[in-house]
Amino acid sequence: ASLGQVYRVTVRATGDQVAVKVQRPHMAQAVSLDLLLLRALAATADGLTAMLTSQRAYHASLLHAFATATYSELDYEHEARNQERFRENFGCNEDGAQGQGTGSRGASAASGSRGPIGRL
């Protein structure tokens, strides 16, 4: 399942086409519950691995890395800042073409907890 959906919309005032990413309602709570349940399974798997094999248990560590990346995906404001930094670092203009990078005009100002807005 997706954490959210992206829509292509046209800004009435300017006619610009932008992408708006909308997070599904209560997604952070649902993901947190899933990760809590997975942590219990990972701890059990680590215990069984240690008891039954000579291998190093890694399930909880793997889940921690997955959880960190998942929570990062839920932070749309952080994602908008990363998009701006990418454009600045790689010299992309607002259309994504190589050139003098200007960042994503208005992306962080227009983004909120529901999602970032970026030019298409």
Side-chain angles (χ1 to χ4, degrees), residues 2-93:
S2 176
L3 300 176
Q5 292 186 332
V6 178
Y7 298 94
R8 181 184 295 225
V9 299
T10 303
V11 178
R12 286 185 199 171
T14 64
D16 291 339
Q17 284 199 339
V18 297
V20 178
K21 190 171 184 180
V22 180
Q23 193 171 104
R24 295 182 187 281
H26 312 293
M27 184 54 67
Q29 293 88 344
V31 167
S32 293
L33 177 59
D34 289 347
L35 291 172
L36 178 68
L37 297 172
L38 285 171
R39 281 175 212 236
L41 289 172
T44 301
D46 279 354
L48 289 172
T49 299
M51 189 169 51
L52 300 174
T53 72
S54 61
Q55 295 179 351
R56 181 174 177 264
Y58 62 88
H59 303 91
S61 298
L62 180 64
L63 181 63
H64 177 74
F66 175 76
T68 300
T70 301
Y71 282 120
S72 176
E73 289 291 320
L74 288 170
D75 185 351
Y76 287 179
E77 290 180 3
H78 178 74
E79 183 177 346
R81 288 189 302 272
N82 282 342
Q83 290 173 359
E84 287 181 19
R85 190 169 59 240
F86 181 87
R87 284 190 181 110
E88 291 169 3
N89 289 342
F90 292 99
C92 297
N93 62 24

